[in-house]
Amino acid sequence: MKAAVIHENGDLDRVCIEDIPEPQAADGEVVLDVRAAALNHLDIWVRKGRPGVELRAPHVLGSDAAGVVAEVGAGVDTVKAGDEVILNPGLWCGKCEFCLRGEQSECVSYGIIGMSRPGTFADKVAVPAVNLHPKPVHMSFEDASFTLSYLTAWRMLMSRAGLRVGEVVLIHGIGGGVALAALQLAKLASAEVIVTSSSDDKLQRAVDLGADHAIDYKSTPDVAARVMEITSGRGADIAFDTVGAATWPVDFASVRRGGRVVLCGVTSGATAETNLQALYWNHLTILGSTMGSSEELRQLLQAVQSVRLQPVIDSVLPLDDARQAMGRMEAGEQFGKIVLRTTA
Ligand SMILES: [Zn+2]
């Protein structure tokens, strides 16, 4: 079968399309016919590599997928061949204290498909059956390969930050998958949303999607001052951060007394200074978040189906163009999900 693989960590030129053996379904697993597989920033981290994380070459990239069940392994009775499904890319043990609480993404051995085992940028992928959920009927396969970013945003906003109707949410770097998911989900909760970007085009498209206020941080370097202006000096209820080092100080200067700062990514760097005085004096709460639980995914799917929400898609490319697709993401050119389509 065809797959986008790397043999060693490195730059974009390490990504190649190869013919590799088809996967087998072990006990409790399913072989999925991948129809569409969306890109995530995680793919870039995996390709570049991290100290101590060794890949078994050739390593298939990709974490998100929507497809059709092709084959079920022993002991699988939750899905059958022909079912149209989406994939929860998380991997958990099911036995630790946190799994037993239903907090799968807090698992002590948490991993992600495409990082901890072969990924979805392939004609087929073997995955645990518990990772599969029914594909929303109103979505095409390309639209439905949306789990990682939307589940991440759902947990951040709804579970961790406890978003309430009408609150003000500041979302940095609109255009990325998680930030756009947050915009759509926050508007579902009737929040007032402030977005930032350095691109006028992305800001305009975010406004078209429902953003209430747009801040161009190139022409308005003091983003926090502008947030205060917009909120009549009160500040946002929630700062939603996927950017990390570059936006972290802005978060603490932008939220109201008792506000929440929620973070799931560090695309601009993992080390930042925190204004501890602002933290305690203003009763702020810092919330870290990674992916989400099975129950949160079920809630997300129910919500998107109830309003027939369509994820924002930047572009759909054939699997053969995986390198070009990753280049587009790495350059930050995208607005929404970049999706690879297999020809199955
Ligand atoms: Zn566990």
Side-chain angles (χ1 to χ4, degrees), residues 92-96 99 107-108:
W92 59 90
C93 75
K95 296 172 195 157
C96 73
C99 283
C107 176
V108 292

Side-chain angles (χ1 to χ4, degrees), residues 255-279:
V255 290
R256 65 161 168 89
R257 297 175 75 80
R260 295 92 89 195
V261 176
V262 61
L263 176 84
C264 75
V266 290
T267 50
S268 68
T271 306
E273 274 188 25
T274 304
N275 183 338
L276 296 175
Q277 203 163 28
L279 176 67

Side-chain angles (χ1 to χ4, degrees), residues 186-206:
K187 290 313 293 182
L188 277 190
S190 303
E192 185 176 344
V193 179
I194 305 169
V195 297
T196 76
S197 173
S198 60
S199 155
D200 287 342
D201 180 49
K202 288 183 181 182
L203 290 171
Q204 185 53 53
R205 292 168 79 174

Side-chain angles (χ1 to χ4, degrees), residues 24-66:
Q24 306 289 316
D27 291 358
E29 291 187 355
V30 161
V31 172
L32 185 65
D33 242 330
V34 178
R35 297 295 168 84
L39 273 66
N40 292 285
H41 257 280
L42 179 66
D43 309 323
I44 298 172
W45 299 127
V46 172
R47 195 198 71 223
K48 287 184 174 168
R50 272 183 291 189
V53 180
E54 292 219 359
L55 302 176
R56 195 181 308 165
H59 176 75
V60 184
L61 296 164
S63 298
D64 269 326

Side-chain angles (χ1 to χ4, degrees), residues 91-100 103-110:
L91 294 166
W92 59 90
C93 75
K95 296 172 195 157
C96 73
E97 174 189 350
F98 308 100
C99 283
L100 292 176
E103 290 289 3
Q104 288 85 4
S105 68
E106 293 180 16
C107 176
V108 292
S109 57
Y110 195 68

Side-chain angles (χ1 to χ4, degrees), residues 168-172 194 196 215 222-229 231 233-240 247-257 259-261 278 282 284:
V168 180
V169 182
L170 168 65
I171 302 171
H172 295 291
I194 305 169
T196 76
I215 302 175
D222 192 344
V223 169
R226 180 69 190 123
V227 172
M228 285 299 162
E229 217 171 76
T231 58
R234 177 180 177 271
D237 296 281
I238 297 170
F240 183 99
T247 46
W248 191 245
V250 181
D251 296 336
F252 290 84
S254 298
V255 290
R256 65 161 168 89
R257 297 175 75 80
R260 295 92 89 195
V261 176
N282 294 329
L284 306 184

